Amino acid sequence: MLPNTGKLAGCTVFITGASRGIGKAIALKAAKDGANIVIAAKTTQKHPKLLGTIYTAAEEIEAAGGTALPCVVDVRDEQQINSAVEKAVEKFGGIDILVNNASAISLTNTLDTPTKRVDLMMNVNTRGTYLTSKACIPFLKKSKVGHILNLSPPLNLNPLWFKQHCAYTIAKYGMSMCVLGMAEEFRGEIAVNALWPRTAIHTAAMDMLGGSGVENQCRKVDIIADAAYSIFKRPKSFTGNFIIDENILKEEGIKNFDVYAIAPGHPLLPDFFLDEHPDAVMEEKESNDSVPEVKEEKLQLQEESQLQKQPQLQEQPQLQEKPQLQEKPQLQEQPQLQEKPQLQEQPQQREQPQLQQQPRPRQQPQPFVQSMLPQKPHFGAVEETFRIVKDSLSDEVVRATQAVYQFELSGEDGGTWFLDLKSKGGKVGHGEPSDRADVVMSMATDDFVKMFSGSLSIFLAVLVLAMESKLALS
């Protein structure tokens, strides 16, 4: 792991959503240097499933060597943001670093995303990031450090990342577009960058599933904290970058990434918005169905032996004609870091934002929403999906989850189905559950089979995200 150097001693770091997960991990890393941490989050009381409040986080930060200022902030409320900034400046004399970490997620398609959830994601992700940055910028401009870091992805225009969850993608890309604009607007005054994980990260939401095994396919939050710390050490000229955690840590000399794994050696789930096979041959093929215009991309997947054969994913090969999305250097020019040859010097040129990382081609399990069955669902595919899930359930999963899910499926073999993870051993079946559903998910049967079949861990991971979205809305 990346050692602390004391670089952030006395710095004031304002972090949204810092009561748990990635935000708190970044706070604790900075606290070890003796930094002042403003915990800008809305959780003030303990939640039965999601641990952590702004006050428990403050205790951990103080214990790590930092000074904490817990502030009740819902980033949708401009007044609460401004109040927290004023308190931070009054207590610590200024703000040196802003981390826009707060985010809302709903992995639902266009017709199945209620307006309330669209507004939540847009207001927390894009608008919240914009307003918090706006409030902190006058003080960041006065700082010798002066960093804004958004936890948001590279701007990858592959339609794959829009088709399943358009609203969420737009909301996250709004955070990334703030990086594009503000990096140029405040060039020379404030460094503005984005950070995104190569793989899924194990956070409090995953803990709700206990023994599901999903966490074994994730890395610890420590990898994001170390990557953020590496960014904060760099000068203001290091700006406009879209950084992948693994890549920047390799620049720091980190070679063994097993130290960040929950289960070292276990296959990892790649995160959203990253094309793991950017050089894969994209070809148009006519479908055997009545829709000849459908285009497909062949991806070879490596998964546990019990998984069924992976299907081909839809793609738009014409995006390959945009070389500017993949020809940017991984990290931008840093005059102070010339001893690192991989950071190429570009004299008399302004740094341009990097839109797409070039990862090494490798075989990995695909993200949560990618399909697990052959292209055309066969008769009884929904029933078969639930059978696979039922056979894999355990009392441990039921005890840890304690939720009832109802599925409203349209199309062949559709109707109302349920998954009861409150009853002993778990129950599945056709029709409404005996107890009121905690989460209702509506989708086409084709999408259900593609998204949820084949692996219990993938199935449960999506249910966690559904429950997380419900909790955010409640």
Side-chain angles (χ1 to χ4, degrees):
M1 292 190 178
L2 191 67
N4 281 67
T5 63
K7 174 77 173 181
L8 302 184
C11 290
T12 297
V13 187
F14 192 106
I15 308 177
T16 64
S19 60
R20 63 173 70 93
I22 290 173
K24 188 179 76 172
I26 295 174
L28 291 173
K29 182 71 175 180
K32 292 178 181 178
D33 270 6
N36 307 314
I37 310 296
V38 182
I39 308 165
K42 60 187 180 69
T43 306
T44 58
Q45 297 181 346
K46 292 183 179 180
H47 189 279
K49 293 183 181 291
L50 297 174
L51 302 178
T53 70
I54 60 175
Y55 305 113
T56 59
E59 292 173 357
E60 294 183 55
I61 289 166
E62 297 276 355
T67 302
L69 175 63
C71 296
V72 179
V73 176
D74 183 335
V75 295
R76 293 172 291 180
D77 189 324
E78 185 176 15
Q79 184 175 352
Q80 290 185 17
I81 295 171
N82 292 336
S83 176
V85 169
E86 291 174 3
K87 291 177 181 177
V89 173
E90 180 180 354
K91 184 175 178 65
F92 300 122
I95 297 174
D96 300 289
I97 297 170
L98 166 63
V99 180
N100 286 306
N101 167 71
S103 185
I105 182 172
S106 180
L107 297 179
T108 46
N109 61 36
T110 300
L111 297 180
D112 294 329
T113 308
T115 302
K116 185 176 182 181
R117 289 188 182 178
V118 176
D119 290 343
L120 174 70
M121 290 187 285
M122 299 300 176
N123 288 336
V124 171
N125 300 356
T126 302
R127 183 175 181 271
T129 293
Y130 184 91
L131 291 181
T132 306
S133 300
K134 179 182 178 182
C136 292
I137 283 171
F139 305 100
L140 293 169
K141 291 171 70 173
K142 299 176 182 178
S143 170
K144 294 181 179 179
V145 179
H147 272 271
I148 295 176
L149 180 64
N150 294 353
L151 273 296
S152 63
L155 289 168
N156 183 351
L157 298 183
N158 186 337
L160 171 67
W161 303 115
F162 291 83
K163 65 177 296 240
Q164 298 283 17
H165 38 74
C166 187
Y168 173 63
T169 298
I170 292 172
K172 288 303 290 186
Y173 281 12
M175 298 175 69
S176 300
M177 292 173 76
C178 285
V179 172
L180 280 178
M182 294 179 187
E184 285 300 312
E185 184 176 358
F186 302 106
R187 184 173 293 276
E189 298 179 291
I190 303 170
V192 186
N193 296 288
L195 175 62
W196 195 246
R198 167 84 60 206
T199 72
I201 302 297
H202 183 227
T203 60
M206 293 295 183
D207 292 334
M208 291 164 50
L209 291 181
S212 70
V214 175
E215 68 273 13
N216 292 333
Q217 301 174 67
C218 301
R219 282 175 172 163
K220 304 172 186 176
V221 292
D222 299 324
I223 190 170
I224 300 295
D226 281 2
Y229 187 81
S230 175
I231 294 168
F232 299 152
K233 294 191 304 176
R234 306 196 178 207
K236 293 181 180 182
S237 59
F238 183 74
T239 190
N241 301 291
F242 291 86
I243 302 152
I244 304 302
D245 56 356
E246 188 177 292
N247 293 348
I248 196 168
L249 290 178
K250 287 178 180 177
E251 302 295 337
E252 292 282 357
I254 302 295
K255 297 180 180 179
N256 178 19
F257 287 88
D258 279 347
V259 296
Y260 296 112
I262 299 294
H266 198 285
L268 298 170
L269 286 169
D271 208 345
F272 294 112
F273 308 116
L274 302 179
D275 292 341
E276 290 297 306
H277 301 265
D279 299 321
V281 176
M282 313 291 270
E283 60 180 9
E284 296 186 20
K285 296 182 65 177
E286 289 191 357
S287 170
N288 293 327
D289 293 330
S290 58
V291 190
E293 68 273 15
V294 172
K295 301 170 184 179
E296 301 165 346
E297 173 185 7
K298 292 183 177 180
L299 298 178
Q300 297 298 321
L301 306 178
Q302 179 182 8
E303 182 56 283
E304 301 171 4
S305 58
Q306 69 267 30
L307 292 185
Q308 301 182 23
K309 183 180 179 181
Q310 311 297 323
Q312 297 171 337
L313 300 174
Q314 293 184 356
E315 55 84 38
Q316 299 275 352
Q318 61 268 29
L319 286 184
Q320 296 294 317
E321 298 173 5
K322 297 183 179 181
Q324 66 271 25
L325 295 180
Q326 295 189 1
E327 293 181 356
K328 300 297 181 183
Q330 176 181 314
L331 296 175
Q332 299 292 329
E333 171 188 356
Q334 291 186 72
Q336 291 87 343
L337 297 179
Q338 293 179 1
E339 68 275 10
K340 298 184 178 181
Q342 54 269 53
L343 298 179
Q344 299 180 359
E345 184 176 0
Q346 300 176 356
Q348 298 179 350
Q349 294 184 11
R350 302 176 68 183
E351 302 100 332
Q352 297 298 321
Q354 171 194 346
L355 296 184
Q356 182 65 40
Q357 301 290 335
Q358 288 274 8
R360 296 177 180 176
R362 59 180 180 179
Q363 292 181 331
Q364 287 188 343
Q366 295 300 296
F368 298 146
V369 299
Q370 293 185 7
S371 18
M372 287 290 170
L373 281 183
Q375 281 181 305
K376 295 189 294 183
H378 55 80
F379 179 76
V382 173
E383 183 177 2
E384 176 66 13
T385 299
F386 279 112
R387 184 194 65 76
I388 293 171
V389 172
K390 172 60 178 174
D391 291 345
S392 304
L393 291 177
S394 66
D395 288 337
E396 184 180 8
V397 171
V398 173
R399 284 195 302 270
T401 308
Q402 289 296 293
V404 177
Y405 299 89
Q406 181 174 323
F407 302 87
E408 297 294 341
L409 306 180
S410 59
E412 183 180 0
D413 198 26
T416 301
W417 295 76
F418 71 88
L419 171 63
D420 182 350
L421 294 181
K422 286 185 178 178
S423 301
K424 183 177 180 180
K427 296 180 180 179
V428 301
H430 190 272
E432 295 187 0
S434 55
D435 292 337
R436 182 176 179 273
D438 297 296
V439 176
V440 178
M441 304 179 71
S442 300
M443 64 184 69
T445 54
D446 287 10
D447 291 336
F448 174 85
V449 172
K450 290 177 182 177
M451 290 174 66
F452 292 143
S453 212
S455 168
L456 176 64
S457 63
I458 302 297
F459 184 87
L460 292 177
V462 177
L463 296 186
V464 164
L465 294 171
M467 177 62 77
E468 187 179 42
S469 297
K470 178 179 182 295
L471 293 172
L473 286 166
S474 61

